[in-house]
Amino acid sequence: VPFYWIGLKAYDFVAFAGNGVLHMSKFVSAGEARRLFPTLAESSLGRHLRGSIVYYDGQMNDSRFCVSLALTAALHGALVANHTEALRVLKDDEGRVCGAELRDNLTGKTFPVRARVVINATGPFTDSIRQSDDENARKMIVPSAGVHITLPEYYSAEGMGLIVPKTKDGRVIFMLPWLGSTIAGTTDSSTEITDLPKATEAEVGFILDALSDYLNVDVRRKDVKSAWCGIRPLAINPDANESDTQNILREHSVHVSPSGLVTITGGKWTTYRRMAKDALDKAIEVGDIKNNSPCRTGHVQLIGGHKYDPAYFTFLTQQYEQEKSLAGQTIIGPLDVDCARHLAESYGDQSYKVAEISQNEKLGHRLAHGFPIIEAEVAYCARYEYCETIVDFIGRRSRLVFLDSKAADAAVDRIADILAAELKWDKRRKRKMIEDARTFVASFSSGI
């Protein structure tokens, strides 16, 4: 315990010296730990609980964050192309990178885009783009699979999670409250790069087994509502000695190929603005672009944040009505508080637009039992957030499939109806979208 306490005090100091600290970390007794976290076991692996260290960190909905970034970029002049895949880089007569060949994955059409500088920021697919520039390019990515599972809300305490820095086999396990559920993870293993990675039963079993050592509740396989696998693009230095086992970088890396392809990889959400600045600064240098203004990313607010206030949900529930089902009948009443809170936290000061669609177009019903996600969100995302498919909505605009794969599967048909009306799908297109969505949902089920 003293070792971790000292480490977290250093964490507090770094945070305080930077942008401020949420709250200071602290040691709590065993009794206080169990009061704060009622499902925490009194003993584990033959050892009694002596106390815990409480520290504070931030949390976000990464799907909403990512969409807000794209919308903010478009507001500032970027051209955003959804469902567009980079196939290879293009070169001029002198062998310099001058653009890329792209494919619209909704229509299958390919087309070239010319550019003075090309930035390769493709995560796990970084090396395939680099090798289209130079087939002998050394790898910059070591793909690592991380599996998470979703459990009922009662597994974790309100506003508090659990992290075990060293389990019986030396790995890290954590459990956190998230969007009305509990997520737990994670595994860390080498993997092949694929468009649709899946959690294996063995990985799900490892997480459940590790949690059972530290909780006083029956950790049951049937409680797993969703299981998913993500690919971490761990960065390595392409110029380092390949035999160096310490070659994996902890921070992001910007690399320029001899032909002028700028690649950025590694990093994490908490440093994304610094990553963007470093990549663009390098692109300006490589392209010899005249630029007299400093980087503005530190002062740019994301869409939805300008007028947002933690109490914004009260405005929504007071100003807007919602169509609801009660005892088999449809009634009109104030926007439910949990729906209002969900909309405000998901869309910020743009959430009033969703509430207006709900009220004016009678799209206020919930898409899935037990979740505050409503029909109006589907229409809003199609109109304002580049939502083109059912998968876009259940996995990339909301987090429904990550929270409960069965609930997402049950919502597919209704989401298809709304998107078909918004995007003018014919019957064949709608049927194909439903099939794709069910395939996507199945990758989160892992025996559920």
Side-chain angles (χ1 to χ4, degrees), residues 320-324 331-336 339 358-359 364-366 374:
Y320 295 98
E321 293 182 331
Q322 177 184 25
E323 191 176 80
K324 314 171 188 179
I331 62 171
I332 302 296
L335 184 63
D336 288 343
C339 289
S358 170
Q359 176 177 273
H365 292 275
R366 298 184 184 221
I374 60 175

Side-chain angles (χ1 to χ4, degrees), residues 138-142 234-251 253:
R138 294 171 64 177
K139 291 184 177 181
M140 287 189 69
I141 289 296
V142 175
L234 302 178
I236 57 176
N237 183 353
D239 299 323
N241 188 333
E242 290 186 350
S243 63
D244 185 357
T245 58
Q246 304 299 317
N247 197 17
I248 294 179
L249 304 175
R250 295 181 60 86
E251 305 297 334
S253 174

